[in-house]
Amino acid sequence: MKLSFAPLEGITGADFRRLHAQMFGGADRYYTPFIAPDPSGCLKVSRLRDLLPENNGDLPLVPQILANSADAFLETARQLQDLGYGEVNLNVGCPSGTVVSKHKGAALLAEPEALRRLLDGIYARAPLPVSVKTRLGFSSTDEFPALLEIYNDYPIAELTIHARDRAGQYKSVPDREMLCWALSNSRAPVCANGNLFRPDDLAVLGDCDRFMLGRGAVMNPALFREIRGGRGLGREELRDFAAALRELSRERLSAAHTLAWLKELWYYWKWLFPDEKKLLKAIFKARELDDYVQAASALFTNGAFAPDARFEG
């Protein structure tokens, strides 16, 4: 079984990835939050910092690129190859309105000719293997057979399929039937993605042996370990994980930015304390990092912990 940690913008940066691998393990690969190069392929300094090998240790890491220009994609891929990366991923699945409005991400699923031109340009000159992350369609998952005809024309290293259309964002019920059809008809190896929150969620996908987990693995950092037969998440290790992330963040960010990031993480972790609205409220209302530390300590000490909870965001 091959397990990958999906990228979550603003959450799974280098600090999170390194510490997760050290404390919990279980993931075969981590993906970076998408890189959106300018038309010339130049990268923002903040993105480059997240990609530098010295900031990621020996993690098995795959950079994800968001582009609608083959030239920009390839220039970025060459820079990443120079940094030592052996694979890059093309994002054709991001449903964000700001991304779609720029004819990137999932927008390309509604523009099959543009998608084919992009893939033609990339695979004709790619300096290293390219995998693809996609959705099942733009307006409907019924669009996927036609999209797969396009994907099957290229040497895609791996096709990760989020089992929704773009219209479904992250709320609709994943189309497991279409995903299973893709497993049988894709020439590229298929990696399943979408609403994989517990080990038994993987079993419904039959013979699939590649999975990408995102939101569920942020909420439950031990999820990969559990899938591999290890122990479940403990209250104390989540407390230690949160504290270590706080200290790592404080080494490079202001207290205000650290606090904002921790609150983003608690959007996921709050589901592990479903009956503790008052204690959670203190975390989200904290205006200073010291106030946050006190609120988090009270929750971990006194709150009812529910490690088998399911993410509902």
Short mmCIF file of all heavy atoms in Angstrom, two decimals, residues 133 161-164 170 174 176 179 192-197 201 205 212-215:
data_model
loop_
_atom_site.label_atom_id
_atom_site.label_comp_id
_atom_site.label_asym_id
_atom_site.label_seq_id
_atom_site.Cartn_x
_atom_site.Cartn_y
_atom_site.Cartn_z
N LYS A 133 -2.87 15.48 -10.41
CA LYS A 133 -3.99 15.39 -9.48
C LYS A 133 -5.19 16.04 -10.14
O LYS A 133 -5.11 17.19 -10.60
CB LYS A 133 -3.69 16.07 -8.15
CG LYS A 133 -4.83 15.84 -7.15
CD LYS A 133 -4.54 16.40 -5.77
CE LYS A 133 -5.69 16.05 -4.82
NZ LYS A 133 -5.55 16.71 -3.50
N ILE A 161 -6.92 10.96 -8.04
CA ILE A 161 -8.30 11.37 -8.36
C ILE A 161 -9.04 11.72 -7.10
O ILE A 161 -9.29 10.87 -6.24
CB ILE A 161 -9.05 10.26 -9.12
CG1 ILE A 161 -8.32 9.90 -10.41
CG2 ILE A 161 -10.49 10.70 -9.41
CD1 ILE A 161 -8.94 8.72 -11.16
N HIS A 162 -9.39 13.00 -6.98
CA HIS A 162 -10.31 13.42 -5.92
C HIS A 162 -11.71 13.11 -6.43
O HIS A 162 -12.13 13.63 -7.48
CB HIS A 162 -10.16 14.92 -5.63
CG HIS A 162 -11.01 15.37 -4.49
ND1 HIS A 162 -10.53 15.52 -3.21
CD2 HIS A 162 -12.33 15.69 -4.43
CE1 HIS A 162 -11.51 15.92 -2.42
NE2 HIS A 162 -12.62 16.03 -3.13
N ALA A 163 -12.45 12.29 -5.69
CA ALA A 163 -13.67 11.68 -6.24
C ALA A 163 -14.90 12.59 -6.19
O ALA A 163 -15.99 12.16 -5.82
CB ALA A 163 -13.96 10.37 -5.51
N ARG A 164 -14.72 13.85 -6.57
CA ARG A 164 -15.82 14.79 -6.71
C ARG A 164 -15.61 15.60 -7.99
O ARG A 164 -14.51 15.64 -8.53
CB ARG A 164 -15.88 15.77 -5.54
CG ARG A 164 -16.21 15.19 -4.18
CD ARG A 164 -16.23 16.32 -3.15
NE ARG A 164 -16.73 15.91 -1.85
CZ ARG A 164 -15.96 15.56 -0.83
NH1 ARG A 164 -14.64 15.54 -0.96
NH2 ARG A 164 -16.50 15.22 0.33
N TYR A 170 -15.84 20.50 -1.48
CA TYR A 170 -15.50 19.45 -0.51
C TYR A 170 -16.73 18.98 0.26
O TYR A 170 -16.60 18.31 1.29
CB TYR A 170 -14.43 19.97 0.47
CG TYR A 170 -13.13 20.27 -0.21
CD1 TYR A 170 -12.82 21.57 -0.59
CD2 TYR A 170 -12.21 19.26 -0.50
CE1 TYR A 170 -11.62 21.87 -1.24
CE2 TYR A 170 -11.02 19.54 -1.15
CZ TYR A 170 -10.73 20.84 -1.51
OH TYR A 170 -9.55 21.13 -2.16
N PRO A 174 -18.60 11.86 -2.31
CA PRO A 174 -17.67 11.37 -3.33
C PRO A 174 -18.30 10.28 -4.20
O PRO A 174 -19.06 9.45 -3.71
CB PRO A 174 -16.51 10.80 -2.50
CG PRO A 174 -16.57 11.55 -1.21
CD PRO A 174 -18.04 11.75 -0.95
N ARG A 176 -17.79 7.23 -5.52
CA ARG A 176 -16.93 6.05 -5.43
C ARG A 176 -17.09 5.13 -6.65
O ARG A 176 -16.14 4.47 -7.07
CB ARG A 176 -17.26 5.25 -4.16
CG ARG A 176 -17.17 6.04 -2.86
CD ARG A 176 -15.77 6.49 -2.55
NE ARG A 176 -15.64 6.96 -1.18
CZ ARG A 176 -14.71 7.82 -0.78
NH1 ARG A 176 -13.83 8.28 -1.65
NH2 ARG A 176 -14.64 8.21 0.48
N LEU A 179 -14.95 6.46 -9.35
CA LEU A 179 -13.56 6.25 -8.98
C LEU A 179 -13.14 4.80 -9.22
O LEU A 179 -12.05 4.53 -9.75
CB LEU A 179 -13.35 6.62 -7.51
CG LEU A 179 -11.94 6.47 -6.94
CD1 LEU A 179 -10.92 7.26 -7.73
CD2 LEU A 179 -11.92 6.89 -5.48
N ALA A 192 -6.33 7.14 -4.94
CA ALA A 192 -7.66 7.61 -4.53
C ALA A 192 -7.54 8.71 -3.48
O ALA A 192 -6.72 8.64 -2.57
CB ALA A 192 -8.49 6.46 -3.98
N ASN A 193 -8.43 9.71 -3.60
CA ASN A 193 -8.42 10.86 -2.69
C ASN A 193 -9.85 11.33 -2.49
O ASN A 193 -10.68 11.21 -3.38
CB ASN A 193 -7.54 11.97 -3.29
CG ASN A 193 -7.57 13.25 -2.49
OD1 ASN A 193 -7.92 14.30 -3.02
ND2 ASN A 193 -7.20 13.20 -1.23
N GLY A 194 -10.12 11.86 -1.29
CA GLY A 194 -11.45 12.42 -1.02
C GLY A 194 -12.19 11.70 0.08
O GLY A 194 -12.58 10.54 -0.08
N ASN A 195 -12.39 12.38 1.23
CA ASN A 195 -13.16 11.84 2.36
C ASN A 195 -12.60 10.52 2.88
O ASN A 195 -13.34 9.58 3.19
CB ASN A 195 -14.63 11.67 1.99
CG ASN A 195 -15.41 12.96 2.12
OD1 ASN A 195 -14.86 14.05 1.91
ND2 ASN A 195 -16.68 12.87 2.44
N LEU A 196 -11.29 10.44 3.01
CA LEU A 196 -10.65 9.27 3.62
C LEU A 196 -10.25 9.68 5.04
O LEU A 196 -9.17 10.22 5.27
CB LEU A 196 -9.44 8.84 2.79
CG LEU A 196 -9.75 8.48 1.34
CD1 LEU A 196 -8.48 8.15 0.58
CD2 LEU A 196 -10.74 7.32 1.26
N PHE A 197 -11.15 9.44 5.98
CA PHE A 197 -10.99 9.94 7.34
C PHE A 197 -10.65 8.86 8.36
O PHE A 197 -10.18 9.16 9.44
CB PHE A 197 -12.27 10.66 7.78
CG PHE A 197 -12.64 11.83 6.93
CD1 PHE A 197 -13.97 12.06 6.58
CD2 PHE A 197 -11.67 12.71 6.47
CE1 PHE A 197 -14.32 13.15 5.79
CE2 PHE A 197 -12.01 13.81 5.68
CZ PHE A 197 -13.33 14.03 5.34
N ASP A 201 -12.44 3.61 5.67
CA ASP A 201 -12.84 4.33 4.46
C ASP A 201 -12.07 3.84 3.24
O ASP A 201 -12.51 3.99 2.11
CB ASP A 201 -12.62 5.84 4.62
CG ASP A 201 -13.58 6.47 5.62
OD1 ASP A 201 -14.67 5.91 5.81
OD2 ASP A 201 -13.23 7.51 6.20
N LEU A 205 -12.83 0.79 -1.37
CA LEU A 205 -12.31 1.02 -2.72
C LEU A 205 -11.65 -0.22 -3.30
O LEU A 205 -10.85 -0.14 -4.23
CB LEU A 205 -11.33 2.20 -2.70
CG LEU A 205 -12.01 3.53 -2.38
CD1 LEU A 205 -10.98 4.63 -2.19
CD2 LEU A 205 -12.98 3.92 -3.49
N MET A 212 -4.34 8.98 -1.10
CA MET A 212 -3.86 10.29 -0.65
C MET A 212 -4.85 10.82 0.39
O MET A 212 -6.04 10.94 0.11
CB MET A 212 -3.74 11.27 -1.81
CG MET A 212 -3.32 12.67 -1.38
SD MET A 212 -3.21 13.85 -2.76
CE MET A 212 -1.58 13.42 -3.41
N LEU A 213 -4.33 11.14 1.58
CA LEU A 213 -5.17 11.63 2.67
C LEU A 213 -4.75 13.06 2.99
O LEU A 213 -3.56 13.36 3.05
CB LEU A 213 -5.01 10.75 3.90
CG LEU A 213 -5.58 9.32 3.83
CD1 LEU A 213 -4.71 8.42 2.96
CD2 LEU A 213 -5.65 8.73 5.23
N GLY A 214 -5.74 13.92 3.23
CA GLY A 214 -5.45 15.30 3.53
C GLY A 214 -6.09 15.76 4.82
O GLY A 214 -5.49 15.71 5.89
N ARG A 215 -7.35 16.20 4.73
CA ARG A 215 -8.02 16.76 5.90
C ARG A 215 -8.09 15.76 7.06
O ARG A 215 -7.89 16.12 8.22
CB ARG A 215 -9.42 17.25 5.51
CG ARG A 215 -9.42 18.40 4.52
CD ARG A 215 -10.82 18.75 4.06
NE ARG A 215 -11.46 17.63 3.38
CZ ARG A 215 -12.77 17.51 3.21
NH1 ARG A 215 -13.58 18.44 3.67
NH2 ARG A 215 -13.28 16.48 2.57
#
